[in-house]
Amino acid sequence: MTQHASPPRDDADKVSPAGRPPVWRGLFARADLRTLSLLGVLAALVLVGGITKPDEFLDTRNLQLVLTQASVIGVVTVGMTFVIMSGGIDLSVGAIVALASVWATTVATQEYGFGGILLTSVLVGLGCGLVNGLLIAYGGMVPFIATLAMLASARGLALQITDGKTQIVTVDSVLDLGLRDAYVLGIPPLVIVFAVVTVIGWLVLNRTTFGRRTVAVGGNAEAARLAGIDVRRQRLYLYLLSGLCCGIAAFLLIILSGSGQNTNGNLYELDAIAAAIIGGTLLSGGRGTITGSVLGVLIFTTITNIFALNNLQSDVQQIAKGAIIVAAVLVQRRTASTT
């Protein structure tokens, strides 16, 4: 008898030997479940805010404020997500934001106007990221130690520059971006910048070789090296990216506050790491999403706003954040143990 060959099937439709669906479908399902869960938490928070303080929380100006405040830490979180996905950590982001903001608001810098402030913010962020990257990638230092040293150094230098004083911005073109007249269709310029950074970050992570290399390095650095990836150079680029995001965030903070202070960016490292973690980024590296991190930022910012409107103490707010972080890590461990 003549045997008829079965028609070829697309590899993407193949099932495992046990008859189970391909692995990638499970990964997408978990990613969708995480996103839906985060959206559910955010919706619940909006509901709580609407019930406890309906007139204040649901006011258009308050919602604009929430998004504006989320924009600054959100830009930092995008950079932090890439670093954590690579298996690293950056404890210096808050200090870099502070240093960039005060360096960009000195009298000498403000003489160069809008361009001088923006350029200085970005260059200071890149410079700090370069130092972190060189120490970690080529100096062999543990990320925790290298970025902790940068945290202390950047904070100290920011204090030295300001002498503990607030530096007021006098450049009108910068201050004008914080006014309601600068809103585009009711959207603050800072939110637009945050949206652009988020989209670019998503595209880089999911549609470029750089993103795939980041995931590979975080998943297994040695395997990535054997596959031809220059792991040290990739790590250097990642800390440069984190520094760039800090520089952009510093400029947004200057617009928002109209000043530069050595206390700027306080605890940003905690908020950025926490947002990335609850967004599904593994601390051990190799997995994470920009979408999840952004939702994490919005969740924390909404919590802060609700606490402020209800006149709750900041210590209770920190306890709530800590509980959320612990819950997120426990969920991650449970998910990892079942895969």
Side-chain angles (χ1 to χ4, degrees):
M1 296 177 63
T2 304
Q3 294 183 346
H4 298 281
S6 59
R9 293 187 302 175
D10 192 335
D11 289 340
D13 295 328
K14 291 180 180 178
V15 296
S16 63
R20 292 175 295 182
V23 175
W24 65 266
R25 290 185 182 176
L27 292 175
F28 276 115
R30 285 194 296 273
D32 291 341
L33 180 60
R34 282 196 301 271
T35 301
L36 290 175
S37 299
L38 292 172
L39 287 172
V41 172
L42 185 58
L45 288 173
V46 172
L47 182 62
V48 170
I51 293 175
T52 57
K53 292 288 182 178
D55 295 333
E56 299 175 41
F57 180 79
L58 297 177
D59 183 73
T60 302
R61 293 195 175 189
N62 183 64
L63 296 178
Q64 289 172 335
L65 175 62
V66 171
L67 292 175
T68 300
Q69 293 176 336
S71 298
V72 180
I73 185 62
V75 172
V76 175
T77 303
V78 170
M80 180 69 80
T81 301
F82 276 89
V83 170
I84 296 179
M85 285 187 63
S86 71
I89 198 73
D90 191 348
L91 301 178
S92 63
V93 291
I96 294 175
V97 169
L99 179 59
S101 70
V102 301
W103 206 324
T105 55
T106 60
V107 175
T109 303
Q110 293 194 51
E111 290 180 355
Y112 293 95
F114 183 98
I117 294 176
L118 174 59
L119 182 62
T120 301
S121 298
V122 171
L123 289 180
V124 171
L126 284 172
C128 293
L130 176 63
V131 173
N132 280 337
L134 290 175
L135 290 175
I136 295 167
Y138 294 95
M141 291 187 67
V142 177
F144 180 90
I145 300 300
T147 57
L148 185 62
M150 176 58 72
L151 182 156
S153 301
R155 283 288 179 193
L157 184 54
L159 178 60
Q160 186 179 55
I161 291 174
T162 61
D163 195 24
K165 301 175 183 178
T166 299
Q167 298 177 164
I168 304 300
V169 176
T170 59
V171 180
D172 292 337
S173 57
V174 174
L175 297 175
D176 289 345
L177 291 176
L179 302 177
R180 296 187 64 82
D181 292 340
Y183 289 12
V184 179
L185 299 177
I187 304 175
L190 276 69
V191 178
I192 295 176
V193 173
F194 176 35
V196 171
V197 171
T198 298
V199 171
I200 293 175
W202 187 90
L203 290 174
V204 170
L205 179 60
N206 297 282
R207 295 291 184 267
T208 68
T209 303
F210 183 87
R212 291 191 291 272
R213 288 175 177 172
T214 299
V215 175
V217 170
N220 190 322
E222 180 61 21
R225 185 188 66 82
L226 294 175
I229 298 175
D230 190 331
V231 175
R232 293 190 300 178
R233 185 172 62 186
Q234 185 69 17
R235 284 175 174 161
L236 173 61
Y237 289 162
L238 288 167
Y239 282 95
L240 277 171
L241 176 61
S242 179
L244 173 62
C245 289
C246 289
I248 296 173
F251 183 71
L252 298 183
L253 191 57
I254 291 171
I255 296 173
L256 184 62
S257 64
S259 64
Q261 305 177 54
N262 65 286
T263 56
N264 282 343
N266 187 35
L267 295 182
Y268 272 20
E269 54 278 355
L270 170 63
D271 291 342
I273 294 171
I277 290 174
I278 71 170
T281 302
L282 288 180
L283 275 174
S284 56
R287 192 184 76 191
T289 67
I290 298 297
T291 303
S293 295
V294 169
L295 289 174
V297 170
L298 293 175
I299 287 172
F300 276 126
T301 308
T302 304
I303 290 175
T304 301
N305 184 259
I306 293 174
F307 274 55
L309 291 177
N310 287 276
N311 297 318
L312 297 176
Q313 299 295 325
S314 59
D315 54 351
V316 180
Q317 174 185 323
Q318 297 301 327
I319 293 173
K321 286 185 177 181
I324 292 174
I325 295 171
V326 171
V329 172
L330 290 177
V331 170
Q332 280 190 0
R333 289 175 62 87
R334 182 176 179 82
T335 302
S337 64
T338 58
T339 55

